[in-house]
mmCIF file of all heavy atoms in Angstrom:
data_model
loop_
_atom_site.group_PDB
_atom_site.id
_atom_site.type_symbol
_atom_site.label_atom_id
_atom_site.label_comp_id
_atom_site.label_asym_id
_atom_site.label_seq_id
_atom_site.Cartn_x
_atom_site.Cartn_y
_atom_site.Cartn_z
ATOM 1 N N ALA A 1488 163.234 64.318 10.857
ATOM 2 C CA ALA A 1488 163.603 65.739 10.922
ATOM 3 C C ALA A 1488 165.034 65.935 10.447
ATOM 4 O O ALA A 1488 165.887 66.459 11.172
ATOM 5 C CB ALA A 1488 163.425 66.242 12.355
ATOM 6 N N ARG A 1489 165.312 65.500 9.239
ATOM 7 C CA ARG A 1489 166.608 65.736 8.607
ATOM 8 C C ARG A 1489 166.387 65.885 7.114
ATOM 9 O O ARG A 1489 165.323 65.525 6.578
ATOM 10 C CB ARG A 1489 167.565 64.586 8.872
ATOM 11 C CG ARG A 1489 167.061 63.225 8.481
ATOM 12 C CD ARG A 1489 168.150 62.230 8.153
ATOM 13 N NE ARG A 1489 168.684 62.439 6.804
ATOM 14 C CZ ARG A 1489 169.613 61.682 6.249
ATOM 15 N NH1 ARG A 1489 170.089 60.643 6.916
ATOM 16 N NH2 ARG A 1489 170.052 61.918 5.025
ATOM 17 N N LEU A 1490 167.387 66.421 6.415
ATOM 18 C CA LEU A 1490 167.282 66.605 4.966
ATOM 19 C C LEU A 1490 167.607 65.295 4.256
ATOM 20 O O LEU A 1490 168.432 64.511 4.712
ATOM 21 C CB LEU A 1490 168.235 67.690 4.507
ATOM 22 C CG LEU A 1490 167.999 69.106 5.051
ATOM 23 C CD1 LEU A 1490 169.067 70.047 4.511
ATOM 24 C CD2 LEU A 1490 166.609 69.589 4.690
ATOM 25 N N PRO A 1491 166.957 65.055 3.099
ATOM 26 C CA PRO A 1491 167.330 63.896 2.291
ATOM 27 C C PRO A 1491 168.750 64.066 1.760
ATOM 28 O O PRO A 1491 169.205 65.182 1.509
ATOM 29 C CB PRO A 1491 166.310 63.912 1.139
ATOM 30 C CG PRO A 1491 165.205 64.798 1.604
ATOM 31 C CD PRO A 1491 165.832 65.796 2.515
ATOM 32 N N CYS A 1492 169.432 62.969 1.593
ATOM 33 C CA CYS A 1492 170.784 62.983 1.049
ATOM 34 C C CYS A 1492 170.737 62.519 -0.400
ATOM 35 O O CYS A 1492 170.252 61.422 -0.682
ATOM 36 C CB CYS A 1492 171.709 62.083 1.872
ATOM 37 S SG CYS A 1492 173.441 62.194 1.354
ATOM 38 N N ASP A 1493 171.255 63.350 -1.329
ATOM 39 C CA ASP A 1493 171.220 63.003 -2.746
ATOM 40 C C ASP A 1493 172.528 62.385 -3.228
ATOM 41 O O ASP A 1493 172.691 62.128 -4.440
ATOM 42 C CB ASP A 1493 170.907 64.256 -3.580
ATOM 43 C CG ASP A 1493 169.488 64.756 -3.337
ATOM 44 O OD1 ASP A 1493 168.700 63.990 -2.753
ATOM 45 O OD2 ASP A 1493 169.174 65.895 -3.725
ATOM 46 N N GLN A 1494 173.471 62.166 -2.316
ATOM 47 C CA GLN A 1494 174.732 61.540 -2.699
ATOM 48 C C GLN A 1494 174.528 60.034 -2.887
ATOM 49 O O GLN A 1494 173.712 59.422 -2.222
ATOM 50 C CB GLN A 1494 175.797 61.794 -1.618
ATOM 51 C CG GLN A 1494 176.080 63.250 -1.342
ATOM 52 C CD GLN A 1494 176.745 63.924 -2.506
ATOM 53 O OE1 GLN A 1494 177.631 63.356 -3.156
ATOM 54 N NE2 GLN A 1494 176.324 65.152 -2.799
ATOM 55 N N ARG A 1495 175.332 59.444 -3.791
ATOM 56 C CA ARG A 1495 175.280 58.014 -3.962
ATOM 57 C C ARG A 1495 175.986 57.313 -2.791
ATOM 58 O O ARG A 1495 176.991 57.794 -2.271
ATOM 59 C CB ARG A 1495 175.927 57.571 -5.276
ATOM 60 C CG ARG A 1495 175.867 56.051 -5.486
ATOM 61 C CD ARG A 1495 176.323 55.629 -6.840
ATOM 62 N NE ARG A 1495 176.301 54.167 -6.956
ATOM 63 C CZ ARG A 1495 176.554 53.490 -8.080
ATOM 64 N NH1 ARG A 1495 176.831 54.156 -9.182
ATOM 65 N NH2 ARG A 1495 176.512 52.179 -8.087
ATOM 66 N N CYS A 1496 175.413 56.184 -2.388
ATOM 67 C CA CYS A 1496 176.001 55.415 -1.280
ATOM 68 C C CYS A 1496 177.398 54.925 -1.660
ATOM 69 O O CYS A 1496 177.652 54.513 -2.802
ATOM 70 C CB CYS A 1496 175.100 54.222 -0.966
ATOM 71 S SG CYS A 1496 175.676 53.208 0.405
ATOM 72 N N LEU A 1497 178.328 54.963 -0.708
ATOM 73 C CA LEU A 1497 179.713 54.555 -0.955
ATOM 74 C C LEU A 1497 179.970 53.079 -0.613
ATOM 75 O O LEU A 1497 181.027 52.542 -0.940
ATOM 76 C CB LEU A 1497 180.669 55.430 -0.151
ATOM 77 C CG LEU A 1497 180.638 56.932 -0.487
ATOM 78 C CD1 LEU A 1497 181.545 57.701 0.458
ATOM 79 C CD2 LEU A 1497 181.050 57.164 -1.940
ATOM 80 N N ARG A 1498 178.981 52.427 0.017
ATOM 81 C CA ARG A 1498 179.195 51.047 0.453
ATOM 82 C C ARG A 1498 179.047 50.074 -0.706
ATOM 83 O O ARG A 1498 178.551 50.440 -1.784
ATOM 84 C CB ARG A 1498 178.219 50.705 1.571
ATOM 85 C CG ARG A 1498 178.436 51.517 2.842
ATOM 86 C CD ARG A 1498 177.448 51.103 3.929
ATOM 87 N NE ARG A 1498 177.687 51.828 5.168
ATOM 88 C CZ ARG A 1498 177.147 53.003 5.456
ATOM 89 N NH1 ARG A 1498 176.362 53.589 4.591
ATOM 90 N NH2 ARG A 1498 177.424 53.607 6.596
ATOM 91 N N LYS A 1499 179.456 48.827 -0.476
ATOM 92 C CA LYS A 1499 179.327 47.788 -1.481
ATOM 93 C C LYS A 1499 178.321 46.738 -1.076
ATOM 94 O O LYS A 1499 178.139 46.473 0.123
ATOM 95 C CB LYS A 1499 180.698 47.118 -1.738
ATOM 96 C CG LYS A 1499 181.692 48.010 -2.459
ATOM 97 C CD LYS A 1499 182.924 47.227 -2.896
ATOM 98 C CE LYS A 1499 183.860 48.113 -3.725
ATOM 99 N NZ LYS A 1499 185.038 47.353 -4.210
ATOM 100 N N LEU A 1500 177.668 46.147 -2.074
ATOM 101 C CA LEU A 1500 176.709 45.083 -1.820
ATOM 102 C C LEU A 1500 177.452 43.755 -1.609
ATOM 103 O O LEU A 1500 178.670 43.686 -1.760
ATOM 104 C CB LEU A 1500 175.731 44.948 -2.985
ATOM 105 C CG LEU A 1500 174.959 46.233 -3.382
ATOM 106 C CD1 LEU A 1500 174.059 45.934 -4.576
ATOM 107 C CD2 LEU A 1500 174.152 46.741 -2.208
ATOM 108 N N LYS A 1501 176.730 42.709 -1.315
ATOM 109 C CA LYS A 1501 177.345 41.402 -1.123
ATOM 110 C C LYS A 1501 178.026 40.895 -2.388
ATOM 111 O O LYS A 1501 178.984 40.127 -2.322
ATOM 112 C CB LYS A 1501 176.273 40.395 -0.686
ATOM 113 C CG LYS A 1501 175.755 40.617 0.726
ATOM 114 C CD LYS A 1501 174.748 39.546 1.097
ATOM 115 C CE LYS A 1501 174.239 39.759 2.531
ATOM 116 N NZ LYS A 1501 173.241 38.728 2.914
ATOM 117 N N CYS A 1502 177.530 41.345 -3.537
ATOM 118 C CA CYS A 1502 178.120 40.906 -4.806
ATOM 119 C C CYS A 1502 179.405 41.656 -5.112
ATOM 120 O O CYS A 1502 180.028 41.436 -6.154
ATOM 121 C CB CYS A 1502 177.106 41.117 -5.931
ATOM 122 S SG CYS A 1502 176.618 42.846 -6.161
ATOM 123 N N ASP A 1503 179.796 42.591 -4.262
ATOM 124 C CA ASP A 1503 181.003 43.389 -4.371
ATOM 125 C C ASP A 1503 180.869 44.556 -5.329
ATOM 126 O O ASP A 1503 181.835 45.255 -5.616
ATOM 127 C CB ASP A 1503 182.211 42.525 -4.755
ATOM 128 C CG ASP A 1503 183.533 43.134 -4.250
ATOM 129 O OD1 ASP A 1503 183.503 43.750 -3.167
ATOM 130 O OD2 ASP A 1503 184.548 43.011 -4.954
ATOM 131 N N HIS A 1504 179.636 44.776 -5.871
ATOM 132 C CA HIS A 1504 179.394 45.969 -6.679
ATOM 133 C C HIS A 1504 178.965 47.100 -5.759
ATOM 134 O O HIS A 1504 178.405 46.870 -4.674
ATOM 135 C CB HIS A 1504 178.291 45.711 -7.725
ATOM 136 C CG HIS A 1504 178.718 44.762 -8.803
ATOM 137 N ND1 HIS A 1504 178.003 43.636 -9.128
ATOM 138 C CD2 HIS A 1504 179.807 44.775 -9.620
ATOM 139 C CE1 HIS A 1504 178.613 42.991 -10.103
ATOM 140 N NE2 HIS A 1504 179.718 43.668 -10.425
ATOM 141 N N ARG A 1505 179.165 48.321 -6.194
ATOM 142 C CA ARG A 1505 178.823 49.491 -5.393
ATOM 143 C C ARG A 1505 177.299 49.601 -5.276
ATOM 144 O O ARG A 1505 176.563 49.335 -6.234
ATOM 145 C CB ARG A 1505 179.407 50.745 -6.026
ATOM 146 C CG ARG A 1505 179.234 52.008 -5.148
ATOM 147 C CD ARG A 1505 179.828 53.209 -5.834
ATOM 148 N NE ARG A 1505 179.503 54.442 -5.152
ATOM 149 C CZ ARG A 1505 179.723 55.653 -5.636
ATOM 150 N NH1 ARG A 1505 180.317 55.786 -6.840
ATOM 151 N NH2 ARG A 1505 179.383 56.735 -4.952
ATOM 152 N N CYS A 1506 176.828 49.984 -4.080
ATOM 153 C CA CYS A 1506 175.398 50.138 -3.831
ATOM 154 C C CYS A 1506 174.832 51.173 -4.797
ATOM 155 O O CYS A 1506 175.374 52.280 -4.937
ATOM 156 C CB CYS A 1506 175.152 50.569 -2.394
ATOM 157 S SG CYS A 1506 173.399 50.831 -2.005
ATOM 158 N N PRO A 1507 173.739 50.860 -5.517
ATOM 159 C CA PRO A 1507 173.189 51.763 -6.548
ATOM 160 C C PRO A 1507 172.204 52.786 -5.978
ATOM 161 O O PRO A 1507 171.572 53.510 -6.741
ATOM 162 C CB PRO A 1507 172.462 50.801 -7.487
ATOM 163 C CG PRO A 1507 171.958 49.721 -6.568
ATOM 164 C CD PRO A 1507 173.000 49.582 -5.477
#
Side-chain angles (χ1 to χ4, degrees):
R1489 55 154 281 183
L1490 297 178
C1492 186
D1493 293 346
Q1494 300 293 318
R1495 181 172 177 175
C1496 181
L1497 298 175
R1498 296 181 177 87
K1499 289 190 175 183
L1500 304 179
K1501 290 182 179 180
C1502 61
D1503 207 34
H1504 291 126
R1505 187 180 171 191
C1506 178

